[in-house]
């Protein structure tokens, strides 16, 4: 575009992300945060110090995950928008988890990834990811929700042995 890939374009994207977020246009905010994340990752904003750029990548990736998760919780998205939002969420989350991160943020991001598999009906992946969240983060909102979703996924898959084994594991670690 006319703005190319420079600072002006990145600043405009950041302003639009904030505007969309304030208007609760979560899909748009998440999509744009996702795009800005990968523009920065690819070297956009070269005038910026590398440490500042790395921090901006993490902040935008987390914003993308958060906003896309909110968008996916609404009933307003059509099937194509849901597929795209889930894929963008997982890609942003993967980038975020590959670097330095805050543990609370990491827990929320891991849960968001697991939830996308559950919502897509990809039950094998869902049980793997949800179990990991539940076991790694017991007695947290995400851990407890992941445990319940894991049990539900096993029930949907009619895997009664998986359901029983997971139920016992979760009881041992003290899921609340």
């Amino acid at each position: 575009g006319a703005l190319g890939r420079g600072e002006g374009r990145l600043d405009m994207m950041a302003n639009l992300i904030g505007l969309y977020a304030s208007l609760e246009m979560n899909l748009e905010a998440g999509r744009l945060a996702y795009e800005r994340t990968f523009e920065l990752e690819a070297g956009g904003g070269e005038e910026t110090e590398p440490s500042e750029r790395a921090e901006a990548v993490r902040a935008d990736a987390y914003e993308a995950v958060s906003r896309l998760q909110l968008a996916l919780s609404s009933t307003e998205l059509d099937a194509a928008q849901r597929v795209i939002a889930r894929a963008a969420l997982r890609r942003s989350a993967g980038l975020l988890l590959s670097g330095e991160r805050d543990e609370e943020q990491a827990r929320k991001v891991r849960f968001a990834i697991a939830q996308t598999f559950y919502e897509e009906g990809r039950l094998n992946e869902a049980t793997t990811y949800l179990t990991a969240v539940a076991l790694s983060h017991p007695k947290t909102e995400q851990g407890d929700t992941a445990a319940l979703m894991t049990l539900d996924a096993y029930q949907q898959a009619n895997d009664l042995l998986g359901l029983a084994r997971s139920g016992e594991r979760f009881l041992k670690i003290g899921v609340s």
Side-chain angles (χ1 to χ4, degrees):
L3 284 172
R5 299 252 181 244
E7 293 293 326
R9 176 181 167 77
L10 293 169
D11 289 345
M12 186 177 289
M13 292 173 89
N15 289 335
L16 279 171
I17 292 164
L19 176 62
Y20 287 145
S22 69
L23 295 171
E24 295 185 18
M25 296 173 68
N26 294 310
L27 180 63
E28 293 81 358
R31 178 191 54 79
L32 204 54
Y34 168 82
E35 289 175 15
R36 188 172 189 275
T37 297
F38 287 95
E39 272 194 37
L40 283 164
E41 182 73 1
E46 52 279 332
E47 301 88 4
T48 308
E49 290 291 322
S51 62
E52 287 180 36
R53 189 166 58 241
E55 182 56 38
V57 166
R58 284 192 296 275
D60 284 345
Y62 188 67
E63 183 74 16
V65 169
S66 300
R67 291 292 163 184
L68 292 167
Q69 189 175 30
L70 285 169
L72 286 164
S73 70
S74 92
T75 56
E76 298 173 14
L77 302 186
D78 64 33
Q81 289 173 316
R82 286 187 173 286
V83 168
I84 292 167
R86 287 184 193 119
L89 185 153
R90 284 193 291 262
R91 187 162 180 225
S92 297
L95 181 101
L96 190 61
L97 292 173
S98 70
E100 295 177 26
R101 64 202 170 267
D102 163 271
E103 193 51 42
E104 180 183 352
Q105 191 179 70
R107 180 181 72 241
K108 291 176 179 180
V109 168
R110 286 186 188 107
F111 177 76
I113 295 169
Q115 189 174 29
T116 65
F117 289 123
Y118 177 84
E119 290 173 353
E120 285 178 351
R122 294 167 59 179
L123 299 178
N124 286 335
E125 289 147 310
T127 55
T128 300
Y129 281 85
L130 289 166
T131 298
V133 171
L135 295 176
S136 299
H137 308 287
K139 298 181 181 160
T140 65
E141 179 184 351
Q142 291 79 20
D144 289 349
T145 303
L148 294 173
M149 290 171 74
T150 301
L151 298 175
D152 185 65
Y154 276 120
Q155 188 172 14
Q156 286 182 48
N158 202 27
D159 181 349
L160 301 181
L161 187 57
L163 178 64
R165 286 183 177 155
S166 289
E168 290 208 14
R169 285 172 82 185
F170 297 149
L171 286 174
K172 283 181 185 170
I173 63 166
V175 172
S176 43

